[in-house]
Amino acid sequence: FSGLDDAGQRANFIAPFLLDPNRPRRMLAGGQGLWRTEDVKALDPVWRAVKSGSSGNYISAIAIAAGNSDVIWVGHNNGDLYRTLNGTASTPSWKRMDPSGFPNRFLSRITIDPLNHSVVYVTFGGFQDHNIQRTTDGGVTWKDATGSGATGLPHVPVRDVEIDPTDSNAIWAGTEVGVFTSADRGST
């Protein structure tokens, strides 16, 4: 982690890091900011900051689109969510994607649909409702994806959402009380 300035004191205890699914030598790591190395297997990888952060609001989740390394999403401890469409540039342009009314709590995971990069799920911690949000238009609008009533998820932290690679309607949610499945993108 030489050169990775956020290592140690300026990151979550379990800091997110992710190999690029399109280029396995590239790795992104989250601390106060987002860091990238182009050759993580080197004896002494060179890290460079590709997204600045704010003090104490550390990065909690990172996602890179399969098939397009330029599409990167980053979530923060307070629920802030950012996207770039030029993630391999030396200084990517980041846009905030969380609307007002979005959960303002720990953003635990970001999952990009491998068949359609405009479909993205984000999950949140907290014993509250609305812990899975889904966009189908690249973040312009968001919809709760936790179902409701007897077919809804319990109000517990959601740690992960996975999408069936052959059927985007089928998702799995890993929560603190078990794994749940939906055949209709989280409506039930």
Side-chain angles (χ1 to χ4, degrees):
F1 55 85
S2 177
L4 186 60
D5 292 347
D6 287 350
Q9 299 298 316
R10 293 187 299 187
N12 287 329
F13 180 72
I14 301 175
F17 59 92
L18 182 67
L19 285 174
D20 185 332
N22 312 299
R23 187 163 180 250
R25 288 188 173 274
R26 179 183 295 134
M27 177 179 272
L28 298 178
Q32 186 168 293
L34 184 67
W35 297 82
R36 178 177 66 212
T37 182
E38 295 296 334
D39 190 5
V40 73
K41 295 182 181 186
L43 184 58
D44 191 17
V46 175
W47 291 93
R48 70 176 288 142
V50 292
K51 180 185 179 299
S52 61
S54 59
S55 181
N57 186 23
Y58 302 139
I59 291 174
S60 56
I62 306 166
I64 303 169
N68 188 349
S69 298
D70 279 322
V71 178
I72 302 172
W73 291 74
V74 174
H76 290 262
N77 288 354
N78 69 351
D80 289 354
L81 180 65
Y82 293 85
R83 179 194 72 191
T84 183
L85 299 177
N86 67 336
T88 59
S90 59
T91 54
S93 302
W94 294 92
K95 181 177 180 183
R96 190 160 174 186
M97 303 305 294
D98 52 300
S100 62
F102 216 54
N104 188 18
R105 55 186 178 269
F106 186 82
L107 196 150
S108 54
R109 184 76 70 191
I110 305 166
T111 304
I112 303 170
D113 188 327
L115 302 177
N116 181 349
H117 298 158
S118 293
V119 177
V120 177
Y121 292 83
V122 294
T123 65
F124 295 91
F127 291 89
Q128 301 174 33
D129 56 357
H130 310 299
N131 278 343
I132 302 175
Q133 298 288 316
R134 179 186 76 237
T135 182
T136 58
D137 55 16
V140 176
T141 60
W142 292 88
K143 180 179 179 182
D144 179 66
T146 58
S148 63
T151 63
L153 289 179
H155 296 170
V156 297
V158 178
R159 299 293 176 208
D160 193 11
V161 165
E162 292 298 323
I163 303 168
D164 186 313
T166 61
D167 178 7
S168 294
N169 291 316
I171 64 170
W172 289 267
T175 75
E176 288 201 6
V177 296
V179 178
F180 294 82
T181 185
S182 172
D184 55 14
R185 301 185 311 166
S187 293
T188 58

